Every structure is written in C-alpha cells, then in structure tokens.
Amino acid sequence: MNKTLAAVALGTLVAAASAGAHAACLGDAQVADFFAAREARTPAADIENLDEADAACTRAKLNALLARKHGAVIGYKAGLTNPAVQKRFNYDKPVWGVLYQGMLLDSGAVVEAAFGARPLFEADMLVRVKSADINSAKTPAEVLANIDQVIPFIELPDLAVQTPAKLNGPVLAGINVAARLGVKGLPVDVPATAGGQAWMLESLRDMTVVMKDGLGAELARGKGADILEHPLNAVVWLAGALAKEGLALKPGDLVSLGSFSALLPPKAGQTVLVTYEGLARTQPVVVTFK
C-alpha cells in the first residue's frame, strides 16, 4: 500500500473509531425507556457521549412525553450556572431544561424522600418574567427591569440514571436537566422605582443563601454571585440559548436560576429550610421529606 492509500485508510479508521465513540440523538424507543424508568422511580440505563445537538434532539423527544404527564410549560431552568456544579458534571457552560405545571409545589410541602430514582435537593431561586423584552436583556439590570417577582425555591432534581457520576453537561441537558419537582416560597415583588431596583440588584448579588435542616443545623450555603457572578446573568444566558432553538421567554414564565448550594440527597423525616440573608422581605422556603 502506498503512502497516500495508507493515509486514507488510517483516516477512515480514525473516523470510524470516533463515530463508534459518539452516540447520536437517542431513538424514540430509548427515550421512551428512559421516561418509563423515570416514572417508575427506578434508575434508567446510562446515557453517554451525546454532543450538544444530540442533547437538544433528545431533550425535545423527552419533553414531548413529560408534557403529557406534567401539563403546560410554566417556564425553564438554567442548570450548571454555578462553577462548583459545573465541576461536578465536568462541563464549563450552563445547560437548560423545561419546567411544567405539575412539577411545582408550595412551601411546606411534604414529599417522599424517594421522590425519584436518584433524588437530590438544592437551594435555588425563581424569577417571573414580566415582559418579552427580557429576551434582549444583556445585563442583570436589564433582566430586573423585565421581571416582576423573585421567588424562594428549593429544587428537587432527579439524576435518574444508574450511574450519575457518568453524567456530563450534554447528557444532563438531554434529560431535561433532571427537572422533577420543586418547592416555591412566597414571591417578593420587584420594586418599580429606580432606587428600589438598584437595591434589589445589589442584594441579589451579595445575598447569602443558607440551607438548614429542621433542627437548625446548617447543610450548605452560597452567595448570590456564585451563579455567573450575578444570579440574573442566568436569565441572560438562558434567553440566548433559547433563541438558538427558536424559543423565547414570555410574560408569566418562571425561570429557575440554578444552584446556590451543593446537591444533597434527602432523608426520610428531614425538613429543609432555605433563607436568603441580605434580601429583605423574603420568607424561608420549606420542604419536609417523609
């Protein structure tokens, strides 16, 4: 074999090996199997080697099934917005998923500790969209001008697969960023005045988010700035990511900003309370696991 043919043959082998290591968008049957396992709260088969396009395709198929179960879309979640969480999933950028009506509970909810196959809880926050102008926001101040509420939130994600340690960013996106349930607290209205908005903008960045158990023992804490240097930057990122897929935020949508804390496993009999120190008028959000 001459050198040219040898080079072509080698290139073909390398391409074939790369293709073998790359998993395409999950097929309909694979997504249905994942959904069935998720609904049964049993770990699904591991998913590996998705790229961003595969993840978007897989998420769209899964979301069609989730919508039948959980009802109307009520918003979106930005995940991996905290560098510490990015490190856990070996990915250097955020990902997004869809939130449905049937996923959100009110503060004080009692939830089974085994609410999913691989259940976790984390300190989070929701914001509510006031204007479609939010889709062109480039700064936290522009986001704040286009939301009307910030809402304490404990997210209850479900990593759902047999080996969560194998999950990375694209696979997490493909499984709708593990959205399962969440507990929302009492909303705080965004001030209408320039001075009030300046105060809230600074408070969101500088607040300390503290998660404790029912006995007062601290479980985790984080700062507002742990999310992309300002938590409202998560909305800037999300609006751009949605636009790439022909989607947009609309008035009334809720946006989950991401994790201010470590992701922890729930225990039966445990109560979890999250407070937002430095953000005036916020009340704690509480969930109890049974």
Side-chain angles (χ1 to χ4, degrees):
M1 182 182 293
N2 63 36
K3 291 182 179 180
T4 300
L5 289 176
V8 170
L10 179 59
T12 301
L13 288 171
V14 170
S18 297
H22 170 68
C25 175
L26 294 194
D28 292 349
Q30 290 173 291
V31 174
D33 287 345
F34 174 86
F35 177 76
R38 177 189 179 280
E39 291 305 299
R41 295 186 287 183
T42 58
D46 290 329
I47 303 168
E48 299 183 70
N49 302 318
L50 299 186
D51 64 18
E52 291 182 8
D54 299 333
C57 170
T58 299
R59 178 180 55 218
K61 292 181 179 183
L62 176 60
N63 284 346
L65 300 178
L66 290 172
R68 296 177 196 170
K69 170 72 176 181
H70 295 291
V73 173
I74 59 165
Y76 300 88
K77 64 170 290 188
L80 304 190
T81 53
N82 186 320
V85 183
Q86 289 180 356
K87 185 176 181 180
R88 172 171 177 168
F89 290 96
N90 193 31
Y91 204 58
D92 64 355
K93 63 183 78 171
V95 294
W96 66 269
V98 179
L99 298 175
Y100 295 92
Q101 185 74 44
M103 292 181 170
L104 296 192
L105 309 171
D106 291 327
S107 184
V110 178
V111 179
E112 290 185 39
F115 62 79
R118 297 285 190 240
L120 297 167
F121 63 89
E122 63 182 41
D124 198 329
M125 175 175 277
L126 298 170
V127 298
R128 191 174 73 173
V129 176
K130 178 176 70 174
S131 167
D133 290 343
I134 201 168
N135 292 290
S136 58
K138 303 301 181 187
T139 66
E142 290 173 354
V143 171
L144 191 67
N146 289 290
I147 62 175
D148 58 8
Q149 291 181 347
V150 298
I151 307 168
F153 188 49
I154 298 173
E155 198 196 350
L156 307 178
D158 178 11
L159 296 184
V161 296
Q162 291 176 6
T163 317
K166 292 184 178 181
L167 290 170
N168 62 10
V171 175
L172 197 62
I175 63 170
N176 199 41
V177 201
R180 180 98 198 196
L181 293 170
V183 178
K184 57 185 176 65
L186 295 175
V188 174
D189 291 337
V190 173
T193 65
Q197 290 201 4
W199 159 80
M200 180 166 274
L201 199 67
E202 183 176 313
S203 297
L204 286 167
R205 181 196 64 205
D206 296 341
M207 67 183 176
T208 299
V209 182
V210 181
M211 188 159 61
K212 296 182 179 181
D213 68 15
L215 299 176
E218 185 172 310
L219 301 173
R221 69 169 51 212
K223 299 287 291 184
D226 289 344
I227 289 182
L228 300 177
E229 299 182 350
H230 192 292
L232 296 186
N233 277 326
V235 183
V236 175
W237 175 87
L238 176 64
L242 292 175
K244 292 177 182 177
E245 297 193 29
L247 300 171
L249 295 168
K250 63 184 187 301
D253 278 347
L254 299 175
V255 177
S256 164
L257 304 179
S259 180
F260 295 102
S261 70
L263 285 78
L264 301 174
K267 301 173 183 177
Q270 181 181 40
T271 293
V272 176
L273 179 147
V274 174
T275 57
Y276 301 78
E277 297 177 359
L279 185 62
R281 305 198 305 274
T282 54
Q283 299 297 312
V285 54
V286 183
V287 63
T288 296
F289 297 109
K290 63 178 181 179

